[in-house]
Amino acid sequence: MKNGYYLSIYACIDKLSYLKELTVRHDMNLSLWKKEGKNIKLIHYWELERLTGNKQHDIAFFDLNQACNLINNLLKQYDLSLNDMVEIWGTPGIDTCEDYHSNYEYPNLCYHSISHLFSSLLFNTELFHNEDIIALAVDGGPDSLVDKKITQKEFYSGAFSTKGNIIDVFPINSPGGLWDGASEFYNLKEGTLMALASASKSELNRDFELEGSIHDIKSYQTVRKNLENILRNIEFISDSDEGVLFNYFDKRFSKKENKASMAVKAIQKMSIEIMEKNLEKIINKYNIDPSNTYLAISGGYGLNCPTNSHLMHKYKFKGLIAPPYINDSGLSLGIALYSFYKKLGKEKFEFKFENAYYGDEDLSFYETIERYKNFVSNISNIDSDTVVDDIVNSPIIWFDGRAEVGPRALGHRSILADARSKDAKEKLNKIKQRQWWRPVAPIILEEEVSNWFQHAYESPYMLNTFKLIEGRECEVPAIAHLDNSARIQTINSRDNPKLYKIISHFNKKYNIPIVCNTSLNDSGEPIINSIEEMINFALRKKFKVAYVNGYRVEFKNHESYLENKPLKRKFDFNSYVSTKEKNEWLEKLNPYGLEKNILEFYVKANNMEININNKADIRMLKVAYKVYN
């Protein structure tokens, strides 16, 4: 491979998908890389949702021109353009070669899953080359842009490697489809459902069993239908079933919430059983000693923190490799790492994901503050005593350096509050427009974690849940779930020196090495990316203080700020095509006015030789849709 810059893009370019907002890929992202000899360096990571404001960005580019304009705009800060890339991977229509994917190396496994797999397997090549690793890629399901034969393949993949040698790559089962089904049934995000499960004490008195396992398109559909039947049966539970089918209705919640909580507890149990069966099979087949082996997890189900912690505790793995971009937001990374691995062959390249902060940096502090000077009463340098006092008085905004990547705030785009305060969680949930029972995550000094949490270990990307040591929950009531567990982030002086210093000072003053941390964004809004977006949020939400790149900013005149919703982001993605042009294109591309669900099926199943301008083909499409749905 030549030295130079490489670009990996997980996106979609398709006119019909753009016009009808058909979801082919979601959480779209791209990453810029530089190869120098054996050294591979990640330069920048962009998540499209941060740039467009479309949460979990799933809207395709209209055409190559729109894609090139946006990407060249991003590359400009490095004095680069698409023309400077040695190769571009991941997205048909803009990729520059066809030998980057896994369709020939692993013909029975979906490329989407292989990309997830390598995002964790090669997360740190020093570990890869010197340790044993079991890797599991567990998500909801694949996309078919690069891999057009997903209906004929196994959906999910696992691997076992020893000292840099991948012994085997094989199909596994994933619980992801269960959570897709529950999310769709209750119309709630998976994270909200998980929080509800631990919040309400209502619980079924017997287990439900699903026939079969989820590993391909047919089993996915079968299990989803079986799950829907189970969830519908739970909906029929009434007061007369108390003590028989379930324990009781928790009076703090509605009956609907209690039933959802019962269901999700059952789904969580089934999910853990699926993961345990995966591991038991792998451990027995390859005679693995877990205590000398790392567990690497990727795919959206990896956001299920209780499962990660359960598996680590039960099997006593040597360590957990779980990247912050664990869901589809990390696929451009997996695409790139697999490409380097494939193309470099036996040559041992070096790569290490240093920390979570590969996103955008906003250096426009003075210019932006000048534009909003009527709303700023004071600017001063950071002082640890003042920051701690501010946190104690009320939640503060913490905006520092480059943004973290992935779906969770990790101390660079955060709202911080006093974990000792019973009111802190209520204030934060009100600010974020969330349910009262939603938990707030803690940031804790890495060296203190075992003094506060049971069976705890380093968790830099907030992908583990640990229970507080008995008696500690009364000291930090704001961060404890109702079952006294917490989804934690550990912090050290190397990765986040500014915030580490502040929490250390908080600990010195109050003997508490923990503060509350929630993401800096409003309900339905991606994590805030720029200083101006942050100021908009601060003024709308009546924040008194924000800390921005080492400065303390105090706000005033909140009532004079007339904006009542988040600012538009850097790229107005949706208005690339005028209304008139949209209508003209839809007449050409969808002349018979097919419904969105059928069009989405058509676009996703892009290996079908069907022309939707032909009535006979449309009949075939509708038949196929009924078969698969």
Side-chain angles (χ1 to χ4, degrees), residues 334-351:
I335 288 167
L337 290 174
Y338 177 74
S339 298
F340 286 121
Y341 174 82
K342 177 181 176 178
K343 289 169 175 281
L344 287 169
K346 294 183 179 180
E347 186 178 350
K348 288 186 177 182
F349 69 87
E350 297 175 3
F351 170 74

Side-chain angles (χ1 to χ4, degrees), residues 442-509:
I443 299 181
I444 181 171
L445 300 179
E446 187 178 287
E447 64 271 21
E448 290 282 350
V449 66
S450 60
N451 295 327
W452 285 80
F453 293 94
Q454 301 174 34
H455 313 298
Y457 44 84
E458 182 182 325
S459 179
Y461 305 131
M462 207 184 289
L463 291 171
N464 293 280
T465 296
F466 304 121
K467 280 205 169 188
L468 282 154
I469 291 171
E470 189 173 349
R472 286 290 202 185
E473 67 276 4
C474 60
E475 298 179 71
V476 285
I479 58 96
H481 296 202
L482 298 185
D483 64 355
N484 289 331
S485 66
R487 187 186 72 194
I488 78 165
Q489 177 195 354
T490 55
I491 189 173
N492 59 48
S493 58
R494 178 187 67 253
D495 294 336
N496 196 336
K498 289 180 189 173
L499 191 51
Y500 178 87
K501 181 179 178 181
I502 297 305
I503 299 176
S504 297
H505 199 74
F506 195 99
N507 186 37
K508 184 178 179 181
K509 193 168 184 177

Side-chain angles (χ1 to χ4, degrees), residues 605-620:
N606 63 10
N607 60 323
M608 297 175 66
E609 295 180 1
I610 283 178
N611 180 2
I612 60 173
N613 289 316
N614 185 304
K615 279 189 175 181
D617 280 9
I618 287 174
R619 285 194 292 270
M620 291 171 55

Side-chain angles (χ1 to χ4, degrees), residues 15 26 198 255 297 318 390 441 446 514 591:
K15 289 183 173 66
H26 58 85
S198 65
K255 287 186 177 180
I297 293 181
K318 188 173 183 179
D390 284 336
E446 187 178 287
I514 299 170

Side-chain angles (χ1 to χ4, degrees), residues 244-314:
V244 181
L245 297 181
F246 72 105
N247 56 352
Y248 57 86
F249 284 126
D250 189 328
K251 293 181 179 179
R252 297 169 300 170
F253 299 86
S254 69
K255 287 186 177 180
K256 183 178 180 181
E257 289 172 330
N258 277 313
K259 291 174 183 178
S261 181
M262 294 180 205
V264 177
K265 286 184 179 75
I267 289 171
Q268 178 70 1
K269 185 175 181 181
M270 288 185 270
S271 299
I272 288 176
E273 288 173 355
I274 291 169
M275 296 296 283
E276 288 178 342
K277 286 177 182 178
N278 283 329
L279 286 171
E280 296 287 352
K281 185 176 179 179
I282 297 165
I283 289 168
N284 292 332
K285 182 175 181 178
Y286 301 100
N287 194 28
I288 295 168
D289 176 5
S291 67
N292 290 321
T293 306
Y294 281 80
L295 175 63
I297 293 181
S298 55
Y301 182 71
L303 290 168
N304 191 302
C305 301
T307 297
N308 299 340
S309 298
H310 170 85
L311 297 177
M312 289 295 294
H313 179 62
K314 178 173 180 175

